[in-house]
Amino acid sequence: MSDHSDNEEDDDYRYGIDLDDDEYDVRPTVILMGLKRSGKTSIRKVVFQKMSPNETMFVESTPRITKDRICSSFINFETIEFPGQMSPFDSELDARATFKTCGALLFIIDAQSDYNDAMTTVADYFVEAWKINKAIKFEVFVHKADGLTEESRVETKFHIYHAVREMIKDKLEYNQENVDSITITYHLTSIYDHSIFEAFSKVVQNLVKQLPTLERLLDIFNQGSNVTKSFLFDIVSKIYVATDSEPVEMNIYELCCDMIDVTLDISSIYGSGDNKQPFDDSSAAIIRLRSEQVLFLRQINKHLALVYIMKEEHFDKQGYIDYNFMCFKEGIEKVFLMKNKNGIRDS
Amino acid sequence: MATKRKVLLMGKSGSGKTSMRSIIFANYIARDCNRLGPTIEVEHAHVRFLGNLVLHLWDCGGQESFMENFLVSQKDQIFKNVQVLIYVFDVESREFDKDLRYYQSCLEALLQNSPQAQVFCLIHKMDLIQDQDRDDTFKRRESDVLRYSELAARQHANQRANAVCQCFKSSIWDETLYKAWSAIVYKLVPNVNKMEEKLRKFGQILEADEVIMFERATFLVIAHAELREHKDLHRFEKVSNIIKQFKLSCSKMGSKLDSIQVKNANFTAIIDGFTPNTYVMVVLPDGNCSATTTLLNIKSAKKHFELLEQQQ
């Protein structure tokens, strides 16, 4: 991160698109915070290390401030965990450095516990972080929602939203600032279903400045190839970085997630070992369903894959879909390479 | 003509018998199993497996009063004509000794009434044990179980030399469940050897690394041919688990799985419907071979395997 100079704070992030030189590989950093036992480590293990949710029972609590980095994924992900009453804004810690490079700040609230303390902490931390870096995207995960009934989920989220807003309002008005200058997004999440991946996808999409271009590219690809729905996935985390402009149907998204699992799991059994990676240049998968739908997965680069679904009747000319895909892949590469070039010149 | 096999599922109450039956045969997902209530007396289930093989599952409630009944008044009814006994132990059980004594009584009753029966023991709920302790715990439990099997068999030495069973560790949360059940089913399918021989020939023609045959509904492995050595010994149950999970996701959106192709630079794997009761998976050693040709070959081999299945 040493090359991350100050003049970039209001500028773009650069993405690691198959650059061998990792020095230029500066990707958005996401910081994860929350009170004790709110589920930070579990989330990290489930989303980024493919731990199965029921195994998180054995995850031990993180004893001290822990910084952890995940670099095998499209996004650069850092978790900072603060036990008990220790604040990240303590004078001994370099809060400025931490939050200057922060893209998104996630705060996890355990919805099944008494969350009054958590709400005060959210308000405190967010205001402090906002003073350091006004570009941070603030997100609250109302976590462990699986234990709540359908109605109380919405109620809890609503309650937290209002309480936190009031607290932030008090703090900001003291400094003559408007409460709306801090926008916070709330997500209901659980590691036992796809909601955690969905929420993370939204967080990451917020950080991808090229999102409109990517969406446009996906739209063009869909039209040209008669594809129903397409997602650009980060393979490691099953987060979708972008999708086309059609609305996302949750069950299609889940099926695409599961397809990535199938592809990676089978590839790691039969197509890896002896320094061979399960996910490589020619990774691809086709799954046909009885409902006359076909799912496709194609590799874009070492982090990303395109997953798309189409009607079987349109899958008669594989040649031109292949060609469209090649064009799409080139397009994606150009989008990110351009960013990289600009970024290098700027700094 | 359908062949009926009587399969007894026994074990302490709450050890997970109905959960595992529901996952394997009724497409439950592991998470939903906490909705299952306790089994009262005996629940019967007929499972058509491989077309003309019917498994008649007796899911026996594990509460003590039922157990006493099974062992005394209903002894003949329960233990007659049994082909397989599957006994489930809860690895975390606080009264493991008591469980073992019940197991011994059941085994004695079984040996009296159906001396030819096969016995499988599952040490279940292994997921509750920390990863590093799993092997040790399992070994300890297994040796206990084997000791009691020996005790039960001693009195029936003239009928059967050895009732010592096979032990499996299992958990509904990972692929170990499939390993255990595949081994059980493997013993039940007639003609397995002939099937594997044909499968090997088929694999040779395709120049494949591996050919695996799955039962259609449960995705348990019934036969496989390994043409090139593979170092992962647990791959079959892993694949079963992976595909079964995906099948369930498909059914969630009201669809069904038809076929899967996965490839990278080093391999191509094709999973496709085979005979009316099976799926087949062909693993080829190259990422660039033609999937269409392989699919065509699978199609033309179908007839032969269908015939083989009907002969049973």
Side-chain angles (χ1 to χ4, degrees), chain A residues 217-240:
Chain A
L217 277 173
L218 285 165
D219 275 339
I220 296 170
F221 175 73
N222 287 5
Q223 274 165 21
S225 325
N226 267 325
V227 164
T228 325
K229 183 79 192 156
S230 52
F231 294 94
L232 196 58
F233 267 102
D234 175 39
I235 277 294
V236 178
S237 56
K238 287 184 286 177
I239 285 168
Y240 65 96

Side-chain angles (χ1 to χ4, degrees), chain A residues 54 58 192 254-255 258 265 267 269-271 276 278 280 282-291, chain B residues 31 127 173 210 212 216 230 235 242 249-250 252-253 255-256 258-261 263-267 281:
Chain A
N54 61 297
F58 298 127
Y192 290 97
E254 285 175 19
L255 200 65
D258 292 332
D265 290 345
S267 300
I269 295 174
Y270 288 103
K276 285 181 272 185
D280 66 20
S282 40
S283 271
I286 305 174
I287 296 181
R288 283 166 196 272
L289 302 179
R290 289 281 164 73
S291 47
Chain B
R31 232 189 2 259
D127 57 292
W173 296 99
E210 187 150 71
I212 309 174
R216 199 174 265 262
H230 195 290
R235 61 190 184 282
I242 295 164
S249 326
C250 289
K252 233 193 279 173
M253 60 172 277
S255 186
K256 272 186 177 155
D258 191 40
S259 73
I260 299 182
Q261 289 173 36
K263 67 175 187 115
N264 72 10
N266 315 310
F267 85 108
M281 167 155 139

